[in-house]
Amino acid sequence: MQINALKPTTRFVNGAKLKCLVGKIHLTGFDGGRSGMVAITVPKSGSKLYLVGGDGVSTSVWHREELDRLKEDTASLNKLETALEDHVARIMSPAERRQNGLKPVVKLTVDAVVLDDVCKLALLIFASDEMDIDEHGLVAVQENANWRLETGDFVSGYGGDAALPESKDTVSPLVNLIGTWQFDEKATADLLRRQGDSESFIRMSLKNLRGTEWVVTESEIFQKHPTYRHEYKVVAVESKMGFCQITVNAPGLTTPEVWKVKIKNDQMVGVGGVLKKQQTASN
């Protein structure tokens, strides 16, 4: 099992801020692994590897033990493959997959490996192009030498719990975001005209965006419209180059989305138009 050079970082899974070592790992035990229902592969360049805990400079004793276990404990990996097969079978049998125009063998890629010396957890994060497997992702968690399967929501919760707390001396950009934001039709029209858009395009945009509202809390963003409602889990909020960069987990996607908006006074610009913050009674 090859491990590429590790380097310290504070950028963890899904954009969470956490001190760890990052590199690449080649889990040869999964290379070409194939059963009648599941095929597990690793990227040619290797899976992402995150080592949490220790001194933040080199691997800890526990990290090395877990890496050796991943390399040598084939019985444990076989149990994991069996659990994956059972999980896939509960969703849809090979025969049912054929009937629905899908390939009978489900392809899973080991996208990332997390070894946490603090919580004594090992995570294998799987990616798949087949949305019928689990629209929220699939994660194998090893705790006390036993594997269990979780959805991608587990990684979001874990990353949020493990992330570094914000400095008390620094105001988080999230503070400026929290609240209710409503579509500002006049400001949006002015913005689109400054960008040189045609009047027909402006009329269409205003019609499509009319009634839009964002409700932002510490953990979620609710996008409301007269014809739809979307909910997003907030992963991280950063200020970069004068913009507010928001990383969210979107329903149906296995990787986070990153939005860039510009907040000035009570306006948010960059979400297809302009939103204006609703003032509370106390203001």
Side-chain angles (χ1 to χ4, degrees):
M1 178 173 59
Q2 178 186 349
I3 299 175
N4 291 2
L6 296 166
K7 60 181 181 180
T9 184
T10 57
R11 184 169 291 278
F12 189 53
V13 178
N14 291 351
K17 186 177 181 182
L18 178 65
K19 288 182 180 180
C20 57
L21 293 174
V22 65
K24 293 279 190 175
I25 184 172
H26 295 262
L27 289 173
T28 53
F30 277 138
D31 279 351
R34 188 182 182 96
S35 68
M37 297 184 65
V38 177
I40 304 172
T41 60
V42 297
K44 290 182 179 179
S45 61
S47 307
K48 297 172 187 174
L49 174 63
Y50 298 91
L51 302 181
V52 180
D55 60 11
V57 178
S58 58
T59 56
S60 68
V61 172
W62 186 87
H63 288 145
R64 292 190 289 273
E65 290 175 347
E66 289 303 304
L67 289 169
D68 288 341
R69 187 172 289 114
L70 285 175
K71 177 181 179 181
E72 299 171 1
D73 193 354
T74 55
S76 176
L77 293 181
N78 287 338
K79 288 181 181 179
L80 173 57
E81 288 188 82
T82 299
L84 289 168
E85 290 174 355
D86 291 343
H87 177 80
V88 168
R90 283 194 296 271
I91 299 172
M92 201 180 301
S93 70
E96 290 171 328
R97 293 180 64 79
R98 290 190 185 93
Q99 291 172 3
N100 286 277
L102 301 171
K103 294 180 180 180
V105 179
V106 175
K107 294 183 179 180
L108 298 175
T109 301
V110 184
D111 183 59
V113 176
V114 178
L115 298 179
D116 187 334
D117 191 357
V118 179
C119 299
K120 300 298 188 270
L121 290 179
L123 310 181
L124 299 184
I125 303 173
F126 294 98
S128 177
D129 293 332
E130 302 174 67
M131 296 305 297
D132 65 301
I133 299 306
D134 193 319
E135 65 178 11
H136 298 294
L138 186 60
V139 183
V141 182
Q142 187 182 54
E143 187 173 18
N144 298 324
N146 294 314
W147 290 102
R148 69 177 189 273
L149 296 179
E150 301 276 0
T151 68
D153 295 334
F154 175 88
V155 177
S156 299
Y158 161 79
D161 291 340
L164 294 171
E166 295 288 341
S167 171
K168 293 182 179 179
D169 298 328
T170 303
V171 177
S172 167
L174 181 60
V175 172
N176 295 326
L177 272 175
I178 291 176
T180 300
W181 300 79
Q182 295 176 330
F183 177 59
D184 190 327
E185 189 165 331
K186 181 181 183 305
T188 298
D190 292 342
L191 172 67
L192 297 178
R193 289 191 180 100
R194 288 196 300 271
Q195 293 176 174
D197 293 311
S198 67
E199 287 300 316
S200 61
F201 176 82
I202 293 173
R203 285 194 297 273
M204 180 184 67
S205 297
L206 297 180
K207 180 180 178 181
N208 291 338
L209 292 171
R210 192 169 290 130
T212 299
E213 182 180 84
W214 277 28
V215 179
V216 183
T217 70
E218 291 184 355
S219 59
E220 293 178 300
I221 294 177
F222 301 91
Q223 285 186 353
K224 300 179 180 180
H225 186 270
T227 60
Y228 62 79
R229 174 189 170 102
H230 298 313
E231 298 180 11
Y232 302 88
K233 298 288 186 183
V234 176
V235 176
V237 179
E238 301 175 85
S239 291
K240 288 190 174 183
M241 304 296 290
F243 285 87
C244 182
Q245 183 170 292
I246 311 167
T247 304
V248 298
N249 281 334
L253 299 181
T254 57
T255 55
E257 289 186 346
V258 178
W259 304 337
K260 288 185 178 180
V261 299
K262 194 174 186 68
I263 297 177
K264 185 176 181 180
N265 298 326
D266 62 348
Q267 286 188 329
M268 183 194 301
V269 183
V271 287
V274 181
L275 299 175
K276 186 172 182 178
K277 194 168 190 178
Q278 182 177 326
Q279 300 299 314
T280 62
S282 60
N283 293 334

